PDB file of all heavy atoms in Angstrom:
ATOM      1  N   GLY A 129     -13.405  36.154  32.356  1.00  0.00           N
ATOM      2  CA  GLY A 129     -14.448  35.323  31.741  1.00  0.00           C
ATOM      3  C   GLY A 129     -13.937  34.389  30.666  1.00  0.00           C
ATOM      4  O   GLY A 129     -14.679  33.540  30.177  1.00  0.00           O
ATOM      5  N   GLY A 130     -12.691  34.571  30.263  1.00  0.00           N
ATOM      6  CA  GLY A 130     -12.076  33.663  29.284  1.00  0.00           C
ATOM      7  C   GLY A 130     -12.901  33.533  28.017  1.00  0.00           C
ATOM      8  O   GLY A 130     -13.421  34.512  27.482  1.00  0.00           O
ATOM      9  N   TRP A 131     -13.045  32.304  27.537  1.00  0.00           N
ATOM     10  CA  TRP A 131     -13.749  32.088  26.264  1.00  0.00           C
ATOM     11  C   TRP A 131     -15.237  32.419  26.361  1.00  0.00           C
ATOM     12  O   TRP A 131     -15.904  32.555  25.333  1.00  0.00           O
ATOM     13  CB  TRP A 131     -13.556  30.650  25.787  1.00  0.00           C
ATOM     14  CG  TRP A 131     -12.181  30.431  25.229  1.00  0.00           C
ATOM     15  CD1 TRP A 131     -11.150  29.752  25.819  1.00  0.00           C
ATOM     16  CD2 TRP A 131     -11.664  30.940  23.990  1.00  0.00           C
ATOM     17  NE1 TRP A 131     -10.033  29.802  25.017  1.00  0.00           N
ATOM     18  CE2 TRP A 131     -10.326  30.516  23.886  1.00  0.00           C
ATOM     19  CE3 TRP A 131     -12.197  31.706  22.943  1.00  0.00           C
ATOM     20  CZ2 TRP A 131      -9.509  30.830  22.782  1.00  0.00           C
ATOM     21  CZ3 TRP A 131     -11.401  32.018  21.848  1.00  0.00           C
ATOM     22  CH2 TRP A 131     -10.082  31.583  21.778  1.00  0.00           C
ATOM     23  N   SER A 132     -15.769  32.556  27.558  1.00  0.00           N
ATOM     24  CA  SER A 132     -17.197  32.885  27.625  1.00  0.00           C
ATOM     25  C   SER A 132     -17.456  34.396  27.539  1.00  0.00           C
ATOM     26  O   SER A 132     -18.601  34.821  27.472  1.00  0.00           O
ATOM     27  CB  SER A 132     -17.845  32.284  28.879  1.00  0.00           C
ATOM     28  OG  SER A 132     -17.206  32.718  30.035  1.00  0.00           O
ATOM     29  N   ASN A 133     -16.391  35.188  27.512  1.00  0.00           N
ATOM     30  CA  ASN A 133     -16.541  36.645  27.337  1.00  0.00           C
ATOM     31  C   ASN A 133     -16.457  36.988  25.840  1.00  0.00           C
ATOM     32  O   ASN A 133     -15.466  36.653  25.187  1.00  0.00           O
ATOM     33  CB  ASN A 133     -15.410  37.338  28.108  1.00  0.00           C
ATOM     34  CG  ASN A 133     -15.508  38.852  28.045  1.00  0.00           C
ATOM     35  OD1 ASN A 133     -16.163  39.411  27.164  1.00  0.00           O
ATOM     36  ND2 ASN A 133     -14.843  39.521  28.976  1.00  0.00           N
ATOM     37  N   PRO A 134     -17.471  37.657  25.284  1.00  0.00           N
ATOM     38  CA  PRO A 134     -17.429  37.950  23.835  1.00  0.00           C
ATOM     39  C   PRO A 134     -16.202  38.753  23.402  1.00  0.00           C
ATOM     40  O   PRO A 134     -15.789  38.685  22.237  1.00  0.00           O
ATOM     41  CB  PRO A 134     -18.707  38.774  23.583  1.00  0.00           C
ATOM     42  CG  PRO A 134     -19.440  38.867  24.875  1.00  0.00           C
ATOM     43  CD  PRO A 134     -18.707  38.114  25.932  1.00  0.00           C
ATOM     44  N   ALA A 135     -15.594  39.477  24.344  1.00  0.00           N
ATOM     45  CA  ALA A 135     -14.421  40.288  23.993  1.00  0.00           C
ATOM     46  C   ALA A 135     -13.256  39.423  23.528  1.00  0.00           C
ATOM     47  O   ALA A 135     -12.314  39.911  22.897  1.00  0.00           O
ATOM     48  CB  ALA A 135     -14.002  41.130  25.201  1.00  0.00           C
ATOM     49  N   ILE A 136     -13.329  38.106  23.820  1.00  0.00           N
ATOM     50  CA  ILE A 136     -12.182  37.253  23.484  1.00  0.00           C
ATOM     51  C   ILE A 136     -11.978  37.141  21.974  1.00  0.00           C
ATOM     52  O   ILE A 136     -10.874  36.838  21.519  1.00  0.00           O
ATOM     53  CB  ILE A 136     -12.311  35.850  24.130  1.00  0.00           C
ATOM     54  CG1 ILE A 136     -10.921  35.202  24.180  1.00  0.00           C
ATOM     55  CG2 ILE A 136     -13.343  34.990  23.423  1.00  0.00           C
ATOM     56  CD1 ILE A 136     -10.750  34.091  25.170  1.00  0.00           C
ATOM     57  N   VAL A 137     -13.016  37.414  21.217  1.00  0.00           N
ATOM     58  CA  VAL A 137     -12.847  37.351  19.760  1.00  0.00           C
ATOM     59  C   VAL A 137     -11.816  38.409  19.336  1.00  0.00           C
ATOM     60  O   VAL A 137     -10.900  38.139  18.550  1.00  0.00           O
ATOM     61  CB  VAL A 137     -14.206  37.550  19.041  1.00  0.00           C
ATOM     62  CG1 VAL A 137     -14.035  37.496  17.533  1.00  0.00           C
ATOM     63  CG2 VAL A 137     -15.202  36.483  19.512  1.00  0.00           C
ATOM     64  N   ASP A 138     -11.920  39.597  19.913  1.00  0.00           N
ATOM     65  CA  ASP A 138     -10.939  40.649  19.600  1.00  0.00           C
ATOM     66  C   ASP A 138      -9.581  40.345  20.228  1.00  0.00           C
ATOM     67  O   ASP A 138      -8.534  40.633  19.639  1.00  0.00           O
ATOM     68  CB  ASP A 138     -11.433  42.013  20.112  1.00  0.00           C
ATOM     69  CG  ASP A 138     -12.640  42.494  19.314  1.00  0.00           C
ATOM     70  OD1 ASP A 138     -12.820  42.015  18.177  1.00  0.00           O
ATOM     71  OD2 ASP A 138     -13.412  43.319  19.834  1.00  0.00           O
ATOM     72  N   TRP A 139      -9.599  39.785  21.429  1.00  0.00           N
ATOM     73  CA  TRP A 139      -8.312  39.437  22.067  1.00  0.00           C
ATOM     74  C   TRP A 139      -7.560  38.414  21.211  1.00  0.00           C
ATOM     75  O   TRP A 139      -6.346  38.514  21.028  1.00  0.00           O
ATOM     76  CB  TRP A 139      -8.528  38.842  23.468  1.00  0.00           C
ATOM     77  CG  TRP A 139      -9.200  39.754  24.446  1.00  0.00           C
ATOM     78  CD1 TRP A 139      -9.228  41.118  24.425  1.00  0.00           C
ATOM     79  CD2 TRP A 139      -9.957  39.356  25.611  1.00  0.00           C
ATOM     80  NE1 TRP A 139      -9.947  41.589  25.497  1.00  0.00           N
ATOM     81  CE2 TRP A 139     -10.396  40.535  26.241  1.00  0.00           C
ATOM     82  CE3 TRP A 139     -10.289  38.128  26.178  1.00  0.00           C
ATOM     83  CZ2 TRP A 139     -11.170  40.514  27.410  1.00  0.00           C
ATOM     84  CZ3 TRP A 139     -11.046  38.095  27.339  1.00  0.00           C
ATOM     85  CH2 TRP A 139     -11.490  39.285  27.949  1.00  0.00           C
ATOM     86  N   PHE A 140      -8.289  37.437  20.706  1.00  0.00           N
ATOM     87  CA  PHE A 140      -7.633  36.403  19.896  1.00  0.00           C
ATOM     88  C   PHE A 140      -7.145  37.002  18.566  1.00  0.00           C
ATOM     89  O   PHE A 140      -6.075  36.636  18.058  1.00  0.00           O
ATOM     90  CB  PHE A 140      -8.588  35.231  19.638  1.00  0.00           C
ATOM     91  CG  PHE A 140      -7.928  34.052  18.965  1.00  0.00           C
ATOM     92  CD1 PHE A 140      -6.964  33.308  19.620  1.00  0.00           C
ATOM     93  CD2 PHE A 140      -8.264  33.684  17.666  1.00  0.00           C
ATOM     94  CE1 PHE A 140      -6.339  32.221  19.005  1.00  0.00           C
ATOM     95  CE2 PHE A 140      -7.648  32.606  17.043  1.00  0.00           C
ATOM     96  CZ  PHE A 140      -6.688  31.869  17.706  1.00  0.00           C
ATOM     97  N   ALA A 141      -7.921  37.929  18.030  1.00  0.00           N
ATOM     98  CA  ALA A 141      -7.517  38.579  16.771  1.00  0.00           C
ATOM     99  C   ALA A 141      -6.212  39.367  16.990  1.00  0.00           C
ATOM    100  O   ALA A 141      -5.302  39.332  16.151  1.00  0.00           O
ATOM    101  CB  ALA A 141      -8.630  39.499  16.274  1.00  0.00           C
ATOM    102  N   GLU A 142      -6.132  40.024  18.129  1.00  0.00           N
ATOM    103  CA  GLU A 142      -4.917  40.811  18.441  1.00  0.00           C
ATOM    104  C   GLU A 142      -3.696  39.884  18.534  1.00  0.00           C
ATOM    105  O   GLU A 142      -2.634  40.164  17.970  1.00  0.00           O
ATOM    106  CB  GLU A 142      -5.153  41.540  19.771  1.00  0.00           C
ATOM    107  CG  GLU A 142      -3.959  42.338  20.270  1.00  0.00           C
ATOM    108  CD  GLU A 142      -4.205  42.900  21.680  1.00  0.00           C
ATOM    109  OE1 GLU A 142      -5.376  43.107  22.069  1.00  0.00           O
ATOM    110  OE2 GLU A 142      -3.202  43.119  22.398  1.00  0.00           O
ATOM    111  N   TYR A 143      -3.869  38.780  19.235  1.00  0.00           N
ATOM    112  CA  TYR A 143      -2.776  37.796  19.376  1.00  0.00           C
ATOM    113  C   TYR A 143      -2.396  37.213  18.002  1.00  0.00           C
ATOM    114  O   TYR A 143      -1.216  37.103  17.656  1.00  0.00           O
ATOM    115  CB  TYR A 143      -3.247  36.705  20.351  1.00  0.00           C
ATOM    116  CG  TYR A 143      -2.498  35.401  20.298  1.00  0.00           C
ATOM    117  CD1 TYR A 143      -1.141  35.332  20.631  1.00  0.00           C
ATOM    118  CD2 TYR A 143      -3.151  34.214  19.941  1.00  0.00           C
ATOM    119  CE1 TYR A 143      -0.467  34.116  20.595  1.00  0.00           C
ATOM    120  CE2 TYR A 143      -2.485  33.002  19.907  1.00  0.00           C
ATOM    121  CZ  TYR A 143      -1.140  32.953  20.228  1.00  0.00           C
ATOM    122  OH  TYR A 143      -0.478  31.757  20.195  1.00  0.00           O
ATOM    123  N   THR A 144      -3.408  36.885  17.206  1.00  0.00           N
ATOM    124  CA  THR A 144      -3.148  36.333  15.863  1.00  0.00           C
ATOM    125  C   THR A 144      -2.355  37.332  15.016  1.00  0.00           C
ATOM    126  O   THR A 144      -1.417  36.966  14.293  1.00  0.00           O
ATOM    127  CB  THR A 144      -4.487  35.994  15.154  1.00  0.00           C
ATOM    128  OG1 THR A 144      -5.204  35.073  15.974  1.00  0.00           O
ATOM    129  CG2 THR A 144      -4.273  35.397  13.796  1.00  0.00           C
ATOM    130  N   GLU A 145      -2.723  38.595  15.146  1.00  0.00           N
ATOM    131  CA  GLU A 145      -2.031  39.648  14.393  1.00  0.00           C
ATOM    132  C   GLU A 145      -0.537  39.668  14.755  1.00  0.00           C
ATOM    133  O   GLU A 145       0.335  39.671  13.887  1.00  0.00           O
ATOM    134  CB  GLU A 145      -2.692  41.000  14.722  1.00  0.00           C
ATOM    135  CG  GLU A 145      -2.098  42.217  14.043  1.00  0.00           C
ATOM    136  CD  GLU A 145      -2.386  42.258  12.550  1.00  0.00           C
ATOM    137  OE1 GLU A 145      -3.545  42.014  12.173  1.00  0.00           O
ATOM    138  OE2 GLU A 145      -1.442  42.521  11.774  1.00  0.00           O
ATOM    139  N   VAL A 146      -0.265  39.645  16.060  1.00  0.00           N
ATOM    140  CA  VAL A 146       1.131  39.722  16.529  1.00  0.00           C
ATOM    141  C   VAL A 146       1.923  38.513  16.035  1.00  0.00           C
ATOM    142  O   VAL A 146       3.027  38.655  15.485  1.00  0.00           O
ATOM    143  CB  VAL A 146       1.171  39.789  18.085  1.00  0.00           C
ATOM    144  CG1 VAL A 146       2.594  39.630  18.596  1.00  0.00           C
ATOM    145  CG2 VAL A 146       0.553  41.092  18.571  1.00  0.00           C
ATOM    146  N   VAL A 147       1.353  37.342  16.206  1.00  0.00           N
ATOM    147  CA  VAL A 147       2.104  36.118  15.864  1.00  0.00           C
ATOM    148  C   VAL A 147       2.298  35.988  14.360  1.00  0.00           C
ATOM    149  O   VAL A 147       3.396  35.696  13.890  1.00  0.00           O
ATOM    150  CB  VAL A 147       1.375  34.865  16.415  1.00  0.00           C
ATOM    151  CG1 VAL A 147       2.064  33.591  15.941  1.00  0.00           C
ATOM    152  CG2 VAL A 147       1.345  34.894  17.924  1.00  0.00           C
ATOM    153  N   THR A 148       1.233  36.214  13.608  1.00  0.00           N
ATOM    154  CA  THR A 148       1.361  35.966  12.167  1.00  0.00           C
ATOM    155  C   THR A 148       2.171  37.072  11.489  1.00  0.00           C
ATOM    156  O   THR A 148       2.815  36.820  10.474  1.00  0.00           O
ATOM    157  CB  THR A 148      -0.011  35.801  11.478  1.00  0.00           C
ATOM    158  OG1 THR A 148      -0.817  36.965  11.734  1.00  0.00           O
ATOM    159  CG2 THR A 148      -0.740  34.574  11.993  1.00  0.00           C
ATOM    160  N   ARG A 149       2.180  38.271  12.092  1.00  0.00           N
ATOM    161  CA  ARG A 149       3.039  39.316  11.532  1.00  0.00           C
ATOM    162  C   ARG A 149       4.508  38.925  11.738  1.00  0.00           C
ATOM    163  O   ARG A 149       5.357  39.158  10.888  1.00  0.00           O
ATOM    164  CB  ARG A 149       2.740  40.664  12.180  1.00  0.00           C
ATOM    165  CG  ARG A 149       3.054  41.816  11.236  1.00  0.00           C
ATOM    166  CD  ARG A 149       2.970  43.157  11.902  1.00  0.00           C
ATOM    167  NE  ARG A 149       1.621  43.516  12.308  1.00  0.00           N
ATOM    168  CZ  ARG A 149       1.348  44.353  13.294  1.00  0.00           C
ATOM    169  NH1 ARG A 149       2.318  44.906  13.995  1.00  0.00           N
ATOM    170  NH2 ARG A 149       0.108  44.643  13.603  1.00  0.00           N
ATOM    171  N   ALA A 150       4.793  38.319  12.882  1.00  0.00           N
ATOM    172  CA  ALA A 150       6.187  37.958  13.192  1.00  0.00           C
ATOM    173  C   ALA A 150       6.639  36.701  12.444  1.00  0.00           C
ATOM    174  O   ALA A 150       7.758  36.628  11.951  1.00  0.00           O
ATOM    175  CB  ALA A 150       6.347  37.754  14.691  1.00  0.00           C
TER     176      ALA A 150
END
Side-chain angles (χ1 to χ4, degrees):
W131 285 106
S132 57
N133 183 340
I136 200 159
V137 180
D138 291 339
W139 299 336
F140 187 67
E142 177 187 334
Y143 161 64
T144 302
E145 179 71 46
V146 170
V147 174
T148 56
R149 208 189 293 154

